[in-house]
Amino acid sequence: MTAQTQKSALRIMRLTAVKTATGLSRSTIYELMKAERFPKGHRIAGSNITGWNSLEIEAWIAKQLGEVA
């Protein structure tokens, strides 16, 4: 697989999108976050909704694949 030639635009990813992108379960994502081995989620607009920075998720995936982020 070749390195991504164009950076994706910054967007908020919800849990379903993060699970799809990483292939991880909800519990694994939260366990890795607790262990500080996965990007932290952020509260959106002060509500109970959590979202992740898409660029942080993409960088985490690239690191897992041994690619330069």
Side-chain angles (χ1 to χ4, degrees):
M1 179 176 261
T2 62
Q4 186 176 4
T5 57
Q6 184 178 3
K7 281 283 190 187
S8 299
L10 176 63
R11 63 186 178 90
I12 297 171
M13 295 178 74
R14 298 292 309 278
L15 181 59
T16 303
V18 173
K19 287 170 39 179
T20 300
T22 62
L24 301 174
S25 69
R26 176 194 176 280
S27 58
T28 300
I29 289 168
Y30 281 97
E31 286 174 11
L32 290 172
M33 282 174 43
K34 185 176 180 179
E36 298 184 2
R37 296 177 46 215
F38 192 82
K40 297 285 186 190
H42 304 277
R43 284 195 166 186
I44 301 171
S47 67
N48 289 335
I49 299 170
T50 301
W52 283 260
N53 178 325
S54 61
L55 299 179
E56 290 177 1
I57 298 299
E58 290 175 9
W60 183 88
I61 292 169
K63 182 178 177 185
Q64 302 313 300
L65 297 174
E67 299 175 4
V68 177

